[in-house]
Amino acid sequence: MSFWPLFPKSDYVKNLELHAHLNGSLSRSTLKALGCLDNTIGTYQTVETNLDDVFSLFQVAHKATRTIDNLLYATRKVIEEFADDNVIYLELRTTPRSEEGMSTEEYIETVVKAVRSVGSGKILVKLLLSLDRRRSMEKQEEVLDLIIGYKDKYPDLIKGVDLSGDPSKGAFFKQVFEKARKHGLYTAIHCAEVKNDEEVKDIIEFKPDRLGHGTFIHPQYGGSLNIWEVYKQKEIPVECCLTSNVICKTSKSYKQHHVQEWIKESLPFCLSTDDKGVFNTSLSKEFQVVQENFNLTQEELWKISKNSVEYSFASPEEKQFLIFELEQWRNKNIPNR
Ligand code: 5GP
């Protein structure tokens, strides 16, 4: 039986969310508040779809956040909703973009303003800015230069660069990420969401700070023995997003999700929501799913959260604080371990 529902909501395990896309995280109520009609959100909150459908669904959220006011409201809401789900540390990622009446710079400043305006007592928030893999190398580098400027302006807030966007299109350009690293940005790269052995090998060999999804790495899940061996030498933490993968059908089911190989071999991973709005999930639901499907104890679940502190892009002092918070929770809620 699941222990999760036995806890009142306020006692759910305190958690860290390391892989959440801003626009994919907009809840139904936020979309409605921003004027989206029921029937458009109806398809947005789809139960079963595939990667192609999901990428067209992001446009609903992008329409909703095309003004500064709406973007400010939406970002605050996303942060508050994570905090309500007992997330104490959030790394939110978003792709800087321009709209009529909002420049790319204003987009970034608005997201920064939203983060700053949410009370820091309850949740610590950091930002990763995303490069869209569908863009040319020149365009990705242009956006990176902008991000480097903002990292220098907000060094305690803007921590890293993500590579995302439709995995069946575009490319990973190593020199772009080498430049990001040279400028002190952490790197989190979506990797192996679809089978693409050559690119997967290049990314793993680059050794980003974290990998998103990591679905087609292990030979039993469409990867290859060679890639798996290279991965195991590098031990890069993987951000596992179970509900997202099952809904997009890149994983056959929760029970057949590749996270179990990371659990069996004690390899580094964290649990994440990816797009909590699109996939109608929450971080506590992701933990519940893992607990139910792989029979983990409370202590083992707690360790997943604790390990996430190490994989996060928080400062050493912030990490110490997060560990303290998690240990307090554990002493109160898992006394007989
Ligand atoms: P935004 O960056 O606009 O705040 O959030 C939505 C964007 O994140 C999407 O347009 C897409 O580029 C990226 N994204 C969201 N979920 C996924 C995912 O599962 N895989 C990849 N590769 N990109 C994603």
Side-chain angles (χ1 to χ4, degrees):
M1 184 168 107
S2 163
F3 75 87
W4 228 262
L6 300 178
F7 286 127
K9 196 163 179 247
S10 61
D11 284 340
Y12 278 176
V13 69
K14 287 190 176 174
N15 250 323
L16 285 83
E17 170 60 83
L18 304 185
H19 185 129
H21 298 269
L22 171 59
N23 280 281
S25 299
L26 268 58
S27 62
R28 189 183 181 85
S29 62
T30 299
L31 289 167
K32 278 182 97 163
L34 296 177
C36 290
L37 300 176
D38 258 333
N39 58 345
T40 58
I41 310 173
T43 51
Y44 187 82
Q45 298 272 320
T46 186
V47 186
E48 194 152 313
T49 180
N50 58 43
L51 268 175
D52 285 344
D53 289 346
V54 166
F55 277 87
S56 60
L57 294 172
F58 289 127
Q59 289 165 11
V60 176
H62 286 156
K63 260 196 199 157
T65 57
R66 72 192 148 180
T67 68
I68 289 177
D69 285 351
N70 283 10
L71 179 63
L72 190 66
Y73 175 85
T75 309
R76 282 185 183 141
K77 278 294 184 194
V78 166
I79 297 168
E80 283 165 15
E81 287 162 1
F82 274 113
D84 284 347
D85 190 34
N86 275 9
V87 172
I88 54 169
Y89 176 85
L90 166 66
E91 282 179 18
L92 197 57
R93 57 185 79 188
T94 193
T95 322
R97 64 177 211 269
S98 61
E99 295 282 351
E100 215 182 300
M102 175 168 64
S103 65
T104 312
E105 288 81 357
E106 284 172 321
Y107 184 95
I108 298 173
E109 291 286 3
T110 303
V111 175
V112 168
K113 186 174 169 191
V115 173
R116 293 257 191 258
S117 72
V118 177
S120 59
K122 209 173 166 201
I123 183 168
L124 184 58
V125 185
K126 305 287 171 190
L127 289 174
L128 311 188
L129 295 173
S130 305
L131 299 179
D132 188 335
R133 54 176 291 133
R134 291 163 287 197
R135 302 262 179 247
S136 65
M137 190 176 90
E138 291 69 30
K139 186 68 198 168
Q140 286 190 31
E141 205 170 341
E142 201 182 295
V143 181
L144 175 65
D145 288 339
L146 188 69
I147 295 171
I148 291 168
Y150 276 102
K151 187 231 164 225
D152 293 341
K153 187 170 178 189
Y154 302 114
D156 61 325
L157 185 55
I158 296 177
K159 290 294 179 183
V161 186
D162 155 60
L163 180 69
S164 52
D166 192 337
S168 62
K169 303 192 174 86
F172 158 68
F173 298 109
K174 188 173 153 198
Q175 51 269 59
V176 174
F177 283 85
E178 274 170 344
K179 184 171 179 181
R181 180 175 275 167
K182 204 174 115 221
H183 284 269
L185 286 156
Y186 289 103
T187 56
I189 300 186
H190 281 64
C191 175
E193 288 177 275
V194 294
K195 188 166 173 63
N196 187 349
D197 287 356
E198 212 173 306
E199 182 185 278
V200 171
K201 204 154 172 262
D202 285 349
I203 296 175
I204 293 174
E205 270 165 1
F206 170 72
K207 201 170 189 282
D209 297 291
R210 294 199 309 257
L211 297 175
H213 299 287
T215 314
F216 292 80
I217 295 181
H218 189 280
Q220 255 181 31
Y221 303 81
S224 76
L225 199 53
N226 173 269
I227 291 180
W228 182 241
E229 289 305 324
V230 178
Y231 170 75
K232 283 208 296 185
Q233 282 163 22
K234 305 275 183 194
E235 292 212 358
I236 308 163
V238 171
E239 302 149 354
C240 290
C241 311
L242 278 81
T243 298
S244 161
N245 298 156
V246 170
I247 289 180
C248 290
K249 300 198 189 80
T250 50
S251 296
K252 288 189 185 131
S253 66
Y254 286 126
K255 276 247 180 297
Q256 296 173 82
H257 193 277
H258 57 281
V259 70
Q260 62 198 284
E261 305 303 329
W262 270 253
I263 296 173
K264 267 188 233 154
E265 302 213 27
S266 299
L267 289 164
F269 73 95
C270 60
L271 297 179
S272 305
T273 53
D274 200 12
D275 299 284
K276 73 176 180 58
V278 173
F279 302 121
N280 198 17
T281 190
S282 65
L283 194 53
S284 34
K285 183 178 161 196
E286 295 304 306
F287 270 75
Q288 189 174 341
V289 155
V290 167
Q291 194 254 333
E292 285 172 356
N293 285 279
F294 305 111
N295 291 322
L296 300 192
T297 63
Q298 295 179 23
E299 179 72 2
E300 287 166 329
L301 290 171
W302 180 83
K303 279 217 171 99
I304 297 175
S305 293
K306 182 170 178 248
N307 290 342
S308 303
V309 175
E310 190 190 322
Y311 314 143
S312 79
F313 302 154
S315 70
E317 298 72 33
E318 288 164 342
K319 284 185 180 182
Q320 245 183 356
F321 169 76
L322 292 167
I323 294 282
F324 172 77
E325 286 279 296
L326 291 182
E327 281 177 347
Q328 293 262 88
W329 183 91
R330 181 207 209 189
N331 292 341
K332 182 173 164 215
N333 292 286
I334 323 178
N336 307 315
R337 44 186 187 273

